[in-house]
Amino acid sequence: MSLRVYFLILPLVVCMSGCVEWETPEIPARSIFPESRIAPDAVGMEVALAQLDTQQKDDFELFWNQLDQQALPLGLRKRLDQNGLRAAVMASAAPAILHQLIDPPPILPDNLNSLEKQLYLKGLLRKKQRMITHDRISNREGELYSVPVSDIHPQFSWSIRNGDLETPGAGAAVRGGVNITTFPQGDGTVKLLIEFEIHHGKSRPQIAERSFFKENRQAIHRIEELKFETILMAGESLVLAPTADVADLGKLFFGAAQSEASQLDSLPSDSPTASHRLLLVRIVQTQMDDLFNDSRFVEKLTTAFAE
């Protein structure tokens, strides 16, 4: 058969075989819910550290009285108070006065020096930020997130009180930190483990806590007496701050460093000076909800070691 005859017969064969219905591949419907970008066992958090002025003490007490202090056990609140610290839970709808506390203060031209006035007149002088840090993080189940909450105190002596017991300590280059460990719960809430720790002394090679490798770091004293757990719902926040007198461990963790205090003496009498800090930990998102999480049916893999 010639090639020309072949191409004449081929269309006839196709027509005699009948028409075949054209099948369009199905396109999966798009979910109306946005896909999550965090790990299944992760918790989305906002961690903010703010520095308040002495003029804000009364406003801070008004803010504190609007928080849920009863969310934490009475015994824990007594131990914290005995050491100059306090903690409370803030609802998802934050008190309006919080914005007044953490927003940048207005610029007062009468308190500016000559250089600052020139910058102010040119519109180049920025407002002083009260928010020292504001981080959005994704924390895995059982993962520790450490927050340095104080500046470095050149020298500091402290006492840790637990009832009638008192443990003194002292050191150079002292800095306070707060550890946050997250444990998402099956009902959509998150359990937070809060630990206070004191870093002090020169950095030296030491074995890391979670590995066999050495790292250069200061000596760390973790305050077991003040470790506590609390459970938050999405939108709620844990607030940590010193007591009103800003003394004891409250001064170490949330007060102005001694180097800052010496600098503040040179400021005009009507200038806002640093008073104390507060730490806010807000739960933004959690994936571990048994109502919508099929991973609860999948057992975690474990490694069996032969004896």
Side-chain angles (χ1 to χ4, degrees):
M1 180 183 299
S2 66
L3 186 61
R4 181 179 179 184
V5 174
Y6 176 80
F7 282 109
L8 290 174
I9 296 176
L10 182 59
L12 296 175
V13 174
V14 173
C15 292
M16 292 175 62
S17 62
C19 297
V20 179
E21 184 179 354
W22 181 266
E23 295 184 0
T24 303
E26 294 185 2
I27 301 176
R30 291 183 60 185
S31 172
I32 61 174
F33 300 103
E35 295 183 2
S36 175
R37 296 183 180 180
I38 66 175
D41 65 341
V43 174
M45 295 192 301
E46 282 186 278
V47 180
L49 180 68
Q51 174 75 64
L52 304 186
D53 303 329
T54 51
Q55 289 88 334
Q56 296 179 290
K57 283 188 175 182
D58 292 339
D59 287 341
F60 179 77
E61 293 304 320
L62 291 175
F63 163 72
W64 191 264
N65 291 332
Q66 297 181 55
L67 304 182
D68 185 3
Q69 303 171 43
Q70 309 298 325
L72 300 173
L74 178 61
L76 168 64
R77 284 183 278 131
K78 286 183 175 180
R79 289 200 308 275
L80 291 173
D81 181 77
Q82 192 179 22
N83 289 277
L85 298 165
R86 51 181 164 175
V89 173
M90 183 173 67
S92 55
I97 196 171
L98 175 62
H99 298 287
Q100 300 177 26
L101 288 172
I102 63 177
D103 284 348
I107 297 176
L108 303 176
D110 293 339
N111 294 337
L112 303 178
N113 58 38
S114 58
L115 177 59
E116 290 173 336
K117 285 184 178 179
Q118 293 178 24
L119 294 174
Y120 173 73
L121 294 174
K122 294 179 180 179
L124 300 177
L125 186 63
R126 295 183 179 181
K127 291 184 177 181
K128 176 186 174 183
Q129 296 296 321
R130 289 196 176 109
M131 195 74 76
I132 298 174
T133 59
H134 183 194
D135 299 320
R136 298 183 179 183
I137 63 171
S138 175
N139 218 47
R140 302 292 296 271
E141 180 179 9
E143 184 178 1
L144 182 148
Y145 181 74
S146 184
V147 186
V149 294
S150 79
D151 287 330
I152 297 175
H153 301 266
Q155 298 284 338
F156 203 96
S157 300
W158 65 84
S159 292
I160 301 170
R161 299 178 177 87
N162 187 11
D164 296 332
L165 300 177
E166 184 173 338
T167 306
V174 180
R175 189 172 197 179
V178 174
N179 292 335
I180 307 165
T181 307
T182 52
F183 299 93
Q185 307 296 293
D187 59 356
T189 60
V190 179
K191 180 171 70 176
L192 298 182
L193 172 63
I194 304 298
E195 299 172 290
F196 295 89
E197 61 181 24
I198 301 173
H199 299 235
H200 61 93
K202 294 182 178 180
S203 296
R204 297 176 180 176
Q206 300 185 47
I207 297 293
E209 293 187 6
R210 297 175 181 267
S211 71
F212 296 111
F213 297 100
K214 285 189 175 183
E215 61 181 3
N216 285 326
R217 62 175 175 82
Q218 294 178 286
I220 299 176
H221 178 73
R222 193 163 291 173
I223 308 175
E224 294 294 329
E225 296 88 343
L226 300 181
K227 179 170 63 175
F228 70 92
E229 295 178 349
T230 188
I231 294 181
L232 299 181
M233 299 175 58
E236 292 183 330
S237 304
L238 176 69
V239 187
L240 300 176
T243 50
D245 54 359
V246 193
D248 302 320
L249 293 181
K251 182 177 181 181
L252 191 161
F253 282 87
F254 298 109
Q258 295 176 19
S259 58
E260 291 180 345
S262 61
Q263 295 173 5
L264 296 175
D265 294 338
S266 61
L267 294 176
S269 58
D270 57 349
S271 296
T273 57
S275 170
H276 68 83
R277 298 178 176 183
L278 73 151
L279 180 68
L280 301 102
V281 182
R282 180 174 179 266
I283 302 300
V284 178
Q285 179 184 8
T286 173
Q287 300 277 84
M288 296 291 288
D289 190 336
D290 282 345
L291 295 177
F292 303 100
N293 186 8
D294 292 334
S295 63
R296 67 188 187 277
F297 300 113
V298 181
E299 295 183 0
K300 293 184 177 180
L301 296 177
T302 58
T303 304
F305 294 93
E307 297 182 358

